[in-house]
Amino acid sequence: MTDQLTVGDEAVYAVGEVAIAIDPATGDIRWKHEHAGHCWCPPTVTDRNSTGGNVYFPVKSEEGGVRIVALERTTGDVSWTDSTRDYSTLSPTTDGDRVYVGVDGGLQALDATTGNPVWQSDLPGGLLAPPTLHDGMLYLSTGGHVVAVKTATGTLAWNTPID
Amino acid sequence: MTDGTSRPIVEDGHLYVIPMRSSTPLPVFDVETGDFVTAYTGGTRGVLDSGRRRLHTIGDALRAFDTESTVALWKREQPPLGMTIDETENLYLAGSSYSLDDDRLVVGAMTPTAAFYTAVDVAITDVADVPGALARLDPASEEPAPR
């Protein structure tokens, strides 16, 4: 199966049935993390200056549930995992302080360091692509709508139907 | 800003929403109000070249548009996402991704055994200039990609 890659500041991260960090200069594997299940999207990596120095990705278990995994970027140690909601298999989005992930019928903001929930926003339709972050706003494409959500509160700034 | 994924793209006050099907138009909205601005022929991936004010869409074909006039500049047929194009040793471009590398739009894909990429010169301005074969990024590399 094809692993999904993301190039970070310090390493290349590949996630599939396992997660690995690869030295960009030598190709050596720096760390490897095994998880039960599979990730189908590129992982999301915080930059070196952010507070939550993690690699984030969703893992779908054989039973079908999807959890979010946060690994410490430099060691591969588990920072936190959350399986209390049925998350989307799309890549998360992060601003370093929070992680934004799709959930059934909406969008969930989690604390990037602890994984604790911050807010949840209901969306008009399921998330079709990972959110885009820009100037304190998240832009999302859902089934039949384009939506702007404020990162601070999770409230909708605008909602435009697509014909 | 370039992207190369299915994420929406924000640029110059506009929000480009990448469609899920290449047969669906790619709509553009005002980022402040959500008002519809225009639409381009669709692609399931989008790459924005801010310097040239070009939008590249990748779906059933690779297309280039002028984002000021919204005029289609050129189009070339493109293998489906993930199809083997050429063998290289470059790991960075793998992952069925698209990115802008100087004057080239780099198309990458990865299989369990190798990584592949190709590149298209995006400086071309007319459909007559589109090369007949995709250009290789590193002609010296003949070895299969490492595991």
Side-chain angles (χ1 to χ4, degrees):
Chain A
M1 270 179 252
T2 302
D3 285 352
Q4 302 288 327
L5 300 181
T6 297
V7 180
D9 287 341
E10 300 146 332
V12 178
Y13 302 91
V15 183
E17 293 179 345
V18 298
I20 59 174
I22 302 165
D23 186 301
T26 65
D28 293 340
I29 293 178
R30 290 182 177 169
W31 53 254
K32 180 178 179 180
H33 169 79
E34 297 189 4
H35 47 252
H38 198 97
C39 174
W40 300 97
C41 64
T44 298
V45 185
T46 52
D47 63 44
R48 70 179 75 215
N49 297 319
S50 65
T51 51
N54 289 323
V55 180
Y56 305 97
F57 54 90
V59 174
K60 186 171 186 175
S61 70
E62 290 187 1
E63 292 74 30
V66 180
R67 66 187 185 279
I68 297 296
V69 176
L71 303 180
E72 208 285 324
R73 198 180 57 219
T74 56
T75 65
D77 294 339
V78 175
S79 294
W80 52 265
T81 64
D82 188 84
S83 58
T84 57
R85 298 160 195 80
D86 192 13
Y87 288 106
S88 159
T89 55
L90 296 169
S91 297
T93 295
T94 183
D95 54 16
D97 295 323
R98 293 174 183 171
V99 181
Y100 307 97
V101 286
V103 291
D104 188 23
L107 183 70
Q108 178 73 54
L110 303 170
D111 184 284
T113 306
T114 65
N116 292 331
V118 180
W119 52 253
Q120 182 171 334
S121 179
D122 293 334
L123 296 176
L127 207 57
L128 299 181
T132 292
L133 186 67
H134 182 78
D135 280 351
M137 204 77 81
L138 290 158
Y139 299 97
L140 310 109
S141 174
T142 71
H145 295 259
V146 180
V147 178
V149 175
K150 297 177 181 177
T151 57
T153 59
T155 53
L156 266 61
W158 52 258
N159 171 13
T160 299
I162 303 177
D163 295 332
Chain B
M1 173 185 174
T2 65
D3 190 29
T5 72
S6 56
R7 287 180 196 265
I9 304 172
V10 177
E11 180 75 21
D12 282 345
H14 291 146
L15 177 67
Y16 296 74
V17 179
I18 313 300
M20 298 303 290
R21 289 187 295 272
S22 58
S23 58
T24 307
L26 187 157
V28 181
F29 301 89
D30 183 295
V31 76
E32 295 293 334
T33 64
D35 292 341
F36 175 81
V37 176
T38 189
Y40 295 93
T41 303
T44 56
R45 296 288 187 275
V47 177
L48 206 52
D49 182 349
S50 304
R52 294 187 183 82
R53 296 192 177 278
R54 299 268 183 94
L55 170 68
H56 297 280
T57 63
I58 304 129
D60 60 336
L62 177 62
R63 293 178 169 89
F65 299 91
D66 183 314
T67 56
E68 282 189 307
S69 65
T70 72
V71 169
L73 297 173
W74 53 262
K75 167 191 171 183
R76 67 159 299 135
E77 301 304 321
Q78 178 73 17
L81 192 69
M83 177 177 277
T84 298
I85 301 169
D86 203 351
E87 296 185 9
T88 82
E89 293 184 344
N90 197 319
L91 178 65
Y92 291 88
L93 304 175
S96 301
S97 61
Y98 300 85
S99 62
L100 206 58
D101 174 26
D102 295 330
D103 290 340
R104 294 167 299 202
L105 180 68
V106 179
V107 183
M110 190 173 186
T111 75
T113 56
F116 304 96
Y117 68 77
T118 188
V120 174
D121 181 356
V122 293
I124 54 181
T125 56
D126 186 85
V127 68
D129 295 331
V130 177
L134 294 173
R136 291 191 57 169
L137 193 62
D138 177 11
S141 174
E142 296 291 342
E143 298 297 321
R147 292 297 304 269

